[in-house]
Amino acid sequence: MGNIADKTIYQIYLRSFYDSNGDGVGDLPGITAKLDYLENLGVDLIWINPFYPSPQNDNGYDISDYTGVDPRFGTMEDFDTLVREAKKRSIGVMIDLVLNHTSTEHEWFQKALQGHPKYRDFYYFKKGKGDLPPTNWASKFGGSAWEKLASSDDFYLHLFDVTQADLNWSNPEVREALYQVVDFWTQKGIAGLRLDVLNLISKPDKLEDDFIGDGRRFYTDGPHIHEYLKELHAKTFGKKGLITVGEMSSTSIANSIRYSNPAEKELSMVFHFHHLKVDYKDGEKWQLDQVRFAELKELFHTWQVDMASGNGWDALFWNNHDQPRALGRFTSDKPEFHYQAATLLAATIHLMRGTPYIYMGEEIGMINPRFKDIQSYSDIETINHYQLLQKEGLSERETMEVIQARSRDNSRIPMQWENDAKAGFTTGTPLYPVSDSVSWINVQDALREPDSIFYFYKKLIEIRKTHSVIQFGNYTPYLVDEERIISYLRENEEATLLAIHYYGETPHEIPLPEAFLQGKILLSNVKRSQLAKQITLQSYETLAILLPK
Ligand code: GLC
């Protein structure tokens, strides 16, 4: 698989990245058209969200044909061209496979509905308790996780939307069929795989009511998960050395180590989400709370230290297509702090141990659009929760406040290429409304301005490649008692690196350790050029000092 420690991965939400044919929807040729931009940034791989045929109820995470290309995104030839052109620029393509569930329009599910016994056993069909579902499990998109068939007393399991039926991984035929899917794409020359909600694939042998929760404790990191991943690895990508990342919902450190320690032969790395729940109220995504900064810091430190001690490997990220932008969530997103806050967030994770991910637009500091009315939103989870919140009695204003903060559409709006009404994303009507912020946040300006967020990201990608301490150094939390600071030391045989990230808006004085006064400033977002025993940190300052051995 090569070295995963020196790489940076760029995530492309295909439908809103770049539209090459004017239909308002981003497409595969649109990515090919922007490869020079990505090469300039310096990323090693691009992760592309699902582009397979799909009714698009969950924007492609409801796949109806695993080995095709949805015509709205292009053709198989376009995909091959993209892989080829990317390779020329030393960029690998990472595809996104959804192996936990299929669309109910998938041939397998359709055959199951027709009563084909082989395909019945591809899914979870169960008798209900009268009209009540077989268990009390909840769908992650709201409501019950079971849907009753119109034609019989049977229900089928869907942990997500009703049109996303969970596959039965305990059936070896299902696993075999999915391995063939992985092989199909591997033969097309992909370099990596992002595997959607992968730690949910192993359901318990007996499906029972959960008297203390919504069922997730029964199937999260489920009973046969490691067995299945070892088999997946052995039968598919393990032979090819692909870079793999599993999306692991509510997972634990112990499991994450097993998923990603190379000796376990499961995956290269894991996405976990605990750090993105520190502004949930009582674990509830749709209830607003302040960011609990101490908890955020503690989570980073604990995961970094423990993953290293178990030789696990983290995917480092703040943003993706399911998250509101971190800029404006963990920091201010006001114009006067824009550069500093965006670069602070970036440096915080890019200097950690793991493989950093950049979500499209993050490298120019894109922010949440805060659309005023629900008509501007289209995500299925958002619409479901809009209705649920209204049912709970929240006023329109209160409901929209939650939607603006939490909707997944926040990050799904068009990539801001140019300062115009269509963000330079399309010549047609963009599928999502364009954010007003396009006037001051766009690629065109970022490329022209030598001190832009873009060039800071470029530098982060470069220094990871040139400094082995960033790749492999061990991790020790530092300045832990400083309330608004995330700081750590990285150390290996070549150097020690001290990173200080200040999440405050008012100047704040801290002492620097004597030894580091001889060090070199590797990174600063405030043009700091001098070190002293006492320094005064500026708003959202980030500072990294390198001390060679
Ligand atoms: C993952 C995807 C998300 C999708 C869900 C169901 O969390 O990232 O976009 O809705 O899985 O497939």
Side-chain angles (χ1 to χ4, degrees), residues 116 144 227 290 299 314 352 397 423 439 455 482 507 514:
H116 202 306
S144 169
E227 209 179 290
Q290 298 295 318
L299 278 164
D314 263 332
M352 285 181 179
R397 225 195 77 226
S439 62
Y455 292 108
E482 286 283 354
E514 197 75 48

Side-chain angles (χ1 to χ4, degrees), residues 149-164:
L149 296 182
S151 53
S152 77
D153 288 344
D154 284 341
F155 287 73
Y156 66 88
L157 179 69
H158 63 88
L159 294 183
F160 294 89
D161 186 49
V162 291
T163 63
Q164 293 168 300

Side-chain angles (χ1 to χ4, degrees), residues 11 13 47 49-50 58-62 96 98 100-101 140-141 159-161 164 194-198 200 247 249 273 320-322 379-381 408 412:
Q11 182 191 351
Y13 200 61
W47 150 26
N49 289 93
D58 186 23
N59 291 5
Y61 284 92
D62 45 333
D96 192 335
V98 188
N100 177 67
H101 47 263
K140 289 174 189 286
F141 288 168
L159 294 183
F160 294 89
D161 186 49
Q164 293 168 300
R194 182 262 186 188
L195 296 154
D196 189 63
V197 292
L198 193 60
L200 308 186
E247 185 199 25
S249 165
F273 298 89
N320 67 29
H321 64 291
D322 294 327
D379 168 39
I380 191 159
E381 188 200 25
R408 305 194 295 181
R412 297 178 177 189

